[in-house]
Amino acid sequence: MKPLPVVTLWWVLLLVPRLGATRKGSPEEASFYYGTFPPGMSSLCWSVHLSIFQKLTKSYIDTQGTSDQMWLHWGQGSEWGLEGGGARIPCPAPHHLLQEDIALLRELHVSHYQLSLSWPRLLPTGVRGDQVNAKGVKFYNDIIDALLKSNITPMVTLHYWDLPQLLQVKYGGWQNMSLINYFNDYANLCFEAFGDRVKHWITFSDPRAMVEKGYETGHHAPGLKLHGTGLYKAAHHIIKAHARAWHSYNTTWRRRQQGLVGISLNCDWGEPLDIRNPEDIEAAERYLQFCLGWFANPIYAGDYPQVMKDRIGRKSTEQGLEMSRLPVFSVQEKSYIKGTSDFLGLGHFTTRYITERNYSSRQGPSYQNDRDIMELVDPNWPDLGSKWLYSVPWGFRRLLNFAQTQYVNPPMYVTENGASQKSDCTQLCDPWRIQYLKGYINEMLKAIKDGANIKGYTSWSLLDKFEWENGYSERYGFYYVDFKSRHKPRYPKASGQYYKRIIIANGFPNPREVASWHLEALETCSINNHMLATEPLLNHMQMVTEAVVPTVCALCILIAAVLLMLLLRRQS
Ligand SMILES: *[C@@H]1O[C@H](CO)[C@@H](O)[C@H](O)[C@H]1NC(C)=O
Ligand SMILES: *[C@@H]1O[C@H](CO)[C@@H](O)[C@H](O)[C@H]1NC(C)=O
Ligand SMILES: *[C@@H]1O[C@H](CO)[C@@H](O)[C@H](O)[C@H]1NC(C)=O
């Protein structure tokens, strides 16, 4: 998950009440499109996401021979508002729950499952030459085999934000270009170990948030605040590392393994605040280029977007720097990087209205000052659990169409899309998430009708899980997880039922059927809600039996022993 308020809240989420009057949503919002995904689209895979990372806990590390990853060093202070201290919440190791989770996947009828590998779990120091953790390899082999046995295709992310701590300490993480080689070695290890069975590889997931939060604002591990420089440098190395891994696959593994390697980029849609104002149109374009184009443009067109090069270059000069803070690709690098994605992974959650920034801010270099935009939201948009997340389905179609035209109709996988809910709400009936799913998947269907080459859709996420700086407080799952209970029981939410119906029907066949899904899902969840409500009682009973049974047994044995002694004494 995902992620994060796009920027610090105080200036981002300005509400625009007047929008309600001037812009009543968007025309396409009104029209729901009934229809199924094209029959040739059997290749369209329906998927859910779970990052295995959040279950990598300290006690687990000690038994599995893996090393630290940097998120364990993160968020232990209450200043981050983490419930229970970052990633340290003890969870059962995933393999205890593997069969159970796979049963949930089968229940959802997904054909694919997106998971991420943990670099430190496989390479404790981060360096392949040092040591490969055999237990880590076995761990993922077991998961992959179990998935395949259930006819579920794994889609695997190599790097989702969790860098081995040693690489951070020793090299400054992605600041340092030596990481490109280390990543390539790690990628080759994964291709070698799992590539006979894994055919969909994502090198990096949401690298923009990783560098912005990790190297600019410091909101994420490793928590650096290198304003206006660190993130560009880190991104530069990540793009090169991606290209390097792609080339490795192409030259060494592709012929044998016949798989695909791509990158997954997250971006919200940026809509011009006033569609008739050229400045707003330009600002919205800039927003998208700084978000999606930053990584996609080098990979699809060989270089950073022109607007980034111009702006950051100009501002760097104004700041008295000799060189642009945006690093430069050499001619050889450009041609090496261009064309290194077999598909474009897209993560998308919400939309912003964008306008030119109308106030001056703190001086000095920063990503925000380079972009010079303001993000606004319409107060009429339904808001969800996360404070940055508003449900705006039509923005999804626009983003998909934008990517389709910008990068010349690449095959696309939607790698993340979903809606959260706060944990204090233990509600299994989540009609608002059903609305979100229905709206967003429907807009994706429209985008396919528009001609976008969409191959798959992954919903975020299977289970409630660790949400980065928000810890366990935001819940995205189709299954509710009772984290407080020792066995971490899972309860299906209504939205999971609904997603399953969409998957089985491969779309939205007709109004009557779609309406019946809604009713059915809400009926089931209210029954489950009752079950959940009785859970504390069951837990209590379980505790009582756990305490009472051994005590009674011990007493019985004791009494028997005493009686036996008495008996023996009397006989002697
Ligand atoms: C990269 O890491 C090496 C080894 O620690 C160090 O010598 C070098 O200065 C680092 N480079 C940068 C740009 O930080
Ligand atoms: C990928 O590999 C194929 C087959 O070896 C080769 O023909 C092609 O040139 C490679 N692509 C790139 C961009 O290097
Ligand atoms: C900047 O724009 C916002 C949103 O349109 C508006 O509320 C605010 O008053 C403007 N500020 C200035 C200084 O013009």
Side-chain angles (χ1 to χ4, degrees), residues 14 16 18 273 355 358-359 374 376:
L14 302 168
V16 232
R18 68 186 172 84
L273 178 62
T355 181
N358 63 359
Y359 60 92
M374 284 200 301
L376 306 105

Side-chain angles (χ1 to χ4, degrees), residues 301-437:
D303 202 0
Y304 290 119
Q306 196 60 42
V307 66
M308 286 187 80
K309 292 195 289 185
D310 291 349
R311 290 224 147 212
I312 302 167
R314 197 180 71 227
K315 297 211 174 206
S316 301
T317 310
E318 284 165 15
Q319 285 148 2
L321 301 170
E322 264 170 33
M323 281 181 4
S324 174
R325 286 176 283 105
L326 184 71
V328 177
F329 292 117
S330 71
V331 175
Q332 289 90 335
E333 285 169 345
K334 285 179 192 172
S335 69
Y336 183 76
I337 293 165
K338 186 175 170 179
T340 56
S341 212
D342 303 322
F343 60 85
L344 177 62
L346 273 180
H348 175 77
F349 289 83
T350 190
T351 284
R352 296 283 181 265
Y353 282 114
I354 305 295
T355 181
E356 182 95 7
R357 195 155 67 164
N358 63 359
Y359 60 92
S360 62
S361 71
R362 191 166 51 83
Q363 289 304 302
S366 80
Y367 179 61
Q368 297 312 342
N369 288 352
D370 290 340
R371 292 195 307 174
D372 257 338
I373 51 132
M374 284 200 301
E375 300 176 33
L376 306 105
V377 295
D378 185 334
N380 297 319
W381 290 345
D383 58 339
L384 302 164
S386 308
K387 50 188 178 294
W388 52 272
L389 182 49
Y390 293 78
S391 178
V392 193
W394 54 262
F396 191 26
R397 180 188 187 177
R398 295 190 181 190
L399 182 75
L400 291 167
N401 288 344
F402 175 84
Q404 181 199 348
T405 46
Q406 284 277 310
Y407 312 118
V408 199
N409 209 16
M412 289 190 272
Y413 286 84
V414 175
T415 43
E416 293 180 19
N417 176 245
S420 66
Q421 152 190 27
K422 294 286 186 194
S423 64
D424 46 330
C425 177
T426 58
Q427 188 60 264
L428 300 177
C429 298
D430 49 358
W432 43 271
R433 189 189 270 114
I434 291 180
Q435 264 335 99
Y436 182 99
L437 261 181

